[in-house]
Amino acid sequence: MARRTRMCLAFPDIVVVCLLLLVRLVETANEVDPYNILGVTKSASQTEIKEVYKRLIREWHPDKNKNEGAEDLFIKITKSYEILSNKEKRANYDRYGQTDDTQPYGHGHYGHGHDQFYFDESFFHFPFSNKDSFKRPYLIKITSDWCFSCIHIEPVWKEVVLELEALGVGIGVVDVGYERRLANHLGAHRTPSILGVINGKVTFFHYAVVKEHLRQFVEDLLPQRLVEKVTDRNDLQFLNSWHEQNKPHLLLFDQVPVVPLLYKLTAFAYKDYIQFGYMDQGLSDTPNLLKQININTYAPTMLVFKESIDRPADIIQAKGMKKQVIDEFILNNKFLLVHRLVNQKLFDEHCPVKQLHRRRTYCVLLINGDEESYTIGNQAFISFAYTNTQEVVRFAYAYQRLQQPLCDTLLKTKDSTQPPQVFILEHRNAAGRVLYKEVAGGWNGTDKNKQRLLDELQRLQKDPSILNQDTILPELNNEFASMFLIRWIYTAYDYLTEIIDDIIHNNWREMMPLLSLIFSALFILFGTVVVQAFSDVDAINTIEWFYAYHVFVIYSRPLKKNFVEVTELTDITYTSNLVKLRPGHMNVVLVLTDASKNVLLSKFAKEVYSFTGSLTLHFSFLNVDKHSAWVEMLLEFAQDTMQIDTDEDDGARHKIDYTGYILALNGHKKYLCLFRPVYTGEEGPGGATGGGRRSGSREDHPPRRSVPRSHSTATLQIHHKLDHLGLWMERLMEGTPHRYYIPAWPGLEKITDPK
């Protein structure tokens, strides 16, 4: 009973604490409210705000006011005036309580989770030479103080961070208030910005901040060809390539057609050590390999193959495989049983330097030739390694022709016709010093050779001093250096693919400045060559005048098209022209039918032609005969106007005529502005006006029901629907039309069945 009494007494205290917290939140909101800071109402004019600002600045300037807190208040006053003196920022604050480039008043960093951190310049080692981004991609958010939009994307960012961090993606935040130089180096000039860093290259995220887009962005950062699709047609080719690539091969079996992102990230992290393959168990051309390996298919399965392709060297199977489990599995199998020494890095990792207070590690090295006649000896050496595997003994081989300096040092001769020899090494320091011993009798793969080597290894365990020779090994040749051209071609291919993707997803209007710059440079180069080709002074003066005049013409007259580029909005262009439209861009869509297409498009082009100079406007048309369901679904979000239309309806159920409607769609902020066409008295009784002529756009009125009328009258009057579109476009550029916000853009895949 006493325990219950204490709990009851504690409950009012909890209520009091909650109320105090609520009061504190309200006080904090008032402290950061620019209207409250300046002491003006929301209806205050710009003149009133300016007068109040001047008075407060004089009163609270830190040079004149020495009171504690005067400096902080002075900063808040300045920031508040910046918001309220700017029309766009003030409108955003009135509507959302935030602006595009501000964050709540305050100081300091903020993070998300214990693994997220703030970058500084030391992380990147200018210019980008950090090794971290060569092992895993980084997703970085650029933020700042006074950034309300940063708070707007915060819930999505946190959710994405929790998911991608668990998969191995690096997460970071750069605050431009503290790391301005780093932000400039990254090319981030606005907040919030999201970018990816991989292999030292920075890529910006340009789409709507939603979980699916960010996940796809990270996946697109990864290079192509990380994981090879394996079927019955290429499984032997994949597994047999271990000798050529000098790597183990890891094969993942799963029942999904797409390679999981976790597996791709793992492949990128260990691409220097392992070749990755993926097999979809649901395909019809994979059962032979499944039967051969004889594995269960109820859960994802990983198999690692080394020198033997008949049986896997190791296997792991688990549902919901975690990154930590995969990493441990790979670290235990990232080397072949007998590695070919192809560069210095592999030698240092496979035959590590002796560490203090750790067990000695020995390397058994076979020096032989790469000709086919040495194949039997090589296979015998691999077989010996399989039967005599020890934790402290590593096996490797080197081709004498490809690693001549190494072989000459150990063989103490430059005779390339020497028979294969076996050496036991102990790597003593990073400078290349080794203790070694040559195994007598050479190596031909006979039982006698195997027994001699086994005897020496047993002696070594008892007496390490048998390694009585000392030398400094030269740095190994990089046998894959000749692959530089191929790697360069792959890199160029990745860049070209990225450029093509940008061209596909961007409007050509955005590419015009770049194309103009290229052609201007070519023109300048051409003019220079022509000038140098003439020796006569008069000719040179004439050419210089011609060249200067045309350059002046190029830069003094803005490029303007003599046509309007209008594309059809279909399921193919839907993503690039709407869903992934760049921030700040709008797509002005004309709704038409097959019958009115030619008439309306011609009128539409005339009305919007004067606005084609804007880089942020795109023009499209939508065939309502095909996609009427999509239009109806979209306009359901304009519930206020639909309600007005219902009140004005006479009770008859008529189909809405959407012909001539204009939808200005902002794909990034998910809203639309609506232009309803002009209706005339010629539509007949019961029409839009019922008699007299009505002019002007009907942007703030609901759609009208179509009524029966003659085909000739409709054809004559259809072009009048867009009579005042130009005036409405001017309002659109000013930002005054009402905005209807859409939670998510409906899909455009379905085509309405003809009736």
Side-chain angles (χ1 to χ4, degrees), residues 144-164:
S144 68
D145 295 339
W146 298 79
C147 175
F148 285 114
S149 295
C150 300
I151 297 179
H152 180 69
I153 67 172
E154 192 71 9
V156 178
W157 174 259
K158 285 185 177 181
E159 185 179 2
V160 170
V161 165
L162 289 175
E163 177 185 354
L164 296 182

Side-chain angles (χ1 to χ4, degrees), residues 29 47 81 92 112 141 168 181 220 230 242 252 291 315 322 413 421 473 498 615:
T47 304
Y81 180 71
N92 286 340
H112 320 282
K141 182 178 71 170
R181 182 165 174 247
D220 292 341
V230 180
W242 68 267
L252 172 64
K291 292 179 182 178
I315 182 173
K322 301 297 183 182
T413 178
Q421 299 290 332
L473 294 180
E498 182 179 348
L615 299 177

